Amino acid sequence: MKKWEENVRRVVPYTPGEQPNVPGMIKLNTNENPYPPAPGVLQALAEMDAERFRLYPDPASSVLVEALADYYHRPKEQFFVGVGSDDVLAMAFQTFFNSKKPILFPDITYSFYPVWADLFGIPYEQPALDEAFQVVREDYQRENGGIVFPNPNAPTGLYMEPAGVEEILCRNPDVVVIVDEAYVDFAGPSAMELIDRYENLLVVQTFSKSRSMAGMRIGFAVGNPVLIQYLNDVKYSFNSYTMSQAALELGAACVRDGAYFQETQKKIIAARERTKEKLLELGFSFPDSRANFIFARHESCSASEMFEALKKQNIYVRHFDAPRIRDYLRITIGTDEQMDILIGFLREYLKR
Ligand SMILES: *Cc1c(COP(=O)(O)O)cnc(C)c1O
């Protein structure tokens, strides 16, 4: 090691899912939405005034914050926006997890959490999910410096009803609890309804999955205005202009096209339920996902073999070579047609 390298901050980065670019591929590996962005987004894009790009964007991101406040019928002081929910979450880790006590998140969860904790020097513990991959709520009663978990959880897809989230909040009034709702639009009620009663609750959502906008990088947080103010203080200490003018305008247009959002949401939920039935017939088992993916294992065929076989057909799914989950494939819900091709291939493949 060179002398200067002793002063380098070295980290083990997060591994994002592959972004292959193969014509005709069926991409079910990163939980993107198979449907195009809303017609309202395409129209806003066509009408966009590029002259505006000469200027810095609005640091308060008002056009997007106001569209969200309108859509969710909440005051705009409760909203914070960022460059995808990864940016919002990273900012929230830095802002709220500043204790010497460990923060808590499940052993099987979004694998970016330990990466941010390591990067920011935040101690953490990972209480184990039970055998059925459920969160054991009693494990979140010990002393801690904050709590974060996705709901529905990733990559299991299991959803906790608001009463369960509330139980965790009740027991942890002295720390910030972050609920990462990347998939909640496919699941059930958001914990957003609890923020008026729990000033320590931060709910984070994204445009990447349910809103077909992963490439635009838009995420947001909802919480008590005091929490939001603290987040903004850290953001303005880091980079005042995180979101581009294009992302702000297109994000606002996306939120305003609520009808299309609800329609694609319904189609994906229907395809998910249909895919579950077919997978069961083929000998797969899985936690009862409420997200836009299914985390499935086969009774006799290894996940890594299926992963490779699917890839040869240009069908991309995700496999995590990690303890407790290496027998599973995470399969994003695509269009009905894509799911039919996947199921058709698996049916033949498993006959060998
Ligand atoms: C996809 C995902 C995110 C990040 O989404 P972006 O908004 O695209 O950054 C955050 N948390 C979980 C659990 C996710 O699955």
Side-chain angles (χ1 to χ4, degrees):
M1 194 165 68
K2 302 267 172 53
K3 190 79 182 155
W4 58 266
E5 285 182 285
E6 286 168 18
N7 295 328
V8 170
R9 184 190 301 276
R10 273 172 298 167
V11 289
V12 181
Y14 171 75
T15 316
E18 267 183 282
Q19 293 294 348
N21 194 6
V22 183
M25 69 176 170
I26 296 184
K27 191 170 180 307
L28 308 176
N29 70 333
T30 51
N31 299 341
E32 289 140 331
N33 199 305
Y35 297 106
V41 172
L42 303 185
Q43 193 186 338
L45 185 61
E47 290 167 3
M48 194 168 282
D49 177 12
E51 160 61 16
R52 179 69 185 78
F53 297 167
R54 194 170 56 76
L55 305 175
Y56 279 110
D58 168 20
S61 306
S62 302
V63 61
L64 180 56
V65 163
E66 279 161 22
L68 286 166
D70 268 3
Y71 185 83
Y72 291 105
H73 306 293
R74 298 196 156 273
K76 58 183 195 305
E77 293 72 26
Q78 293 183 344
F79 290 85
F80 175 88
V81 297
V83 185
S85 57
D86 285 341
D87 179 45
V88 175
L89 286 163
M91 210 67 83
F93 268 56
Q94 246 185 332
T95 311
F96 301 119
F97 296 159
N98 193 29
S99 162
K100 292 196 169 54
K101 293 176 196 158
I103 62 165
L104 305 177
F105 50 84
D107 63 337
I108 299 169
T109 197
Y110 188 38
S111 45
F112 227 135
Y113 300 159
V115 175
W116 288 316
D118 286 335
L119 178 63
F120 301 137
I122 302 164
Y124 60 94
E125 285 173 12
Q126 298 191 260
L129 298 179
D130 71 12
E131 286 298 297
F133 290 150
Q134 298 280 358
V135 170
V136 182
R137 289 201 280 277
E138 295 72 50
D139 289 344
Y140 293 81
Q141 296 179 20
R142 63 177 93 153
E143 262 210 291
N144 66 73
I147 292 173
V148 57
F149 59 92
N151 192 30
N153 195 10
T156 65
L158 289 175
Y159 171 70
M160 193 192 293
E161 297 292 337
V165 177
E166 185 159 12
E167 189 187 313
I168 292 177
L169 283 161
C170 274
R171 302 250 157 80
N172 291 281
D174 299 333
V175 296
V176 172
V177 176
I178 300 175
V179 184
D180 177 356
E181 294 190 333
Y183 303 102
V184 80
D185 294 325
F186 305 109
S190 162
M192 220 184 268
E193 62 189 48
L194 298 172
I195 67 173
D196 300 315
R197 279 184 290 131
Y198 297 90
E199 61 180 24
N200 58 326
L201 167 63
L202 190 77
V203 174
V204 177
Q205 293 193 11
T206 175
F207 283 40
S208 299
K209 280 80 184 224
S210 56
R211 292 182 181 275
S212 301
M213 296 278 272
M216 258 298 132
R217 311 305 301 125
I218 305 171
F220 66 99
V222 197
N224 184 285
V226 179
L227 282 187
I228 299 302
Q229 186 55 52
Y230 281 127
L231 263 179
N232 272 314
D233 289 346
V234 169
K235 170 191 153 165
Y236 291 131
S237 309
F238 181 75
N239 174 358
S240 317
Y241 304 109
T242 57
M243 294 187 75
S244 72
Q245 182 64 22
L248 292 174
E249 287 179 27
L250 298 178
C254 175
V255 179
R256 292 189 200 113
D257 200 336
Y260 178 84
F261 166 59
Q262 279 148 23
E263 181 192 319
T264 49
Q265 199 176 359
K266 281 207 200 87
K267 282 203 272 196
I268 290 168
I269 292 170
R272 176 186 74 203
E273 295 308 313
R274 205 170 57 91
T275 305
K276 283 180 187 171
E277 285 169 25
K278 306 269 165 145
L279 288 174
L280 279 177
E281 285 166 20
L282 294 178
F284 285 90
S285 57
F286 40 83
D288 193 16
S289 171
R290 300 275 289 272
N292 68 337
F293 56 82
I294 299 172
F295 196 52
R297 66 182 289 177
H298 193 261
E299 57 197 9
S300 57
C301 190
S302 104
S304 54
E305 275 173 38
M306 276 185 291
F307 175 83
E308 294 302 334
L310 285 163
K311 196 165 166 171
K312 284 207 185 92
Q313 301 297 308
N314 284 332
I315 302 174
Y316 290 83
V317 298
R318 190 96 194 250
H319 177 240
F320 299 94
D321 191 11
R324 294 187 73 186
I325 59 172
R326 53 174 61 92
D327 294 341
Y328 290 79
L329 292 178
R330 194 194 66 189
I331 305 166
T332 303
I333 303 301
T335 61
D336 289 316
E337 193 191 3
Q338 290 176 322
M339 300 325 281
D340 287 346
I341 294 172
L342 170 87
I343 295 292
F345 172 76
L346 287 174
R347 185 174 291 126
E348 291 309 309
Y349 179 75
L350 293 165
K351 274 188 196 151
R352 296 161 313 146

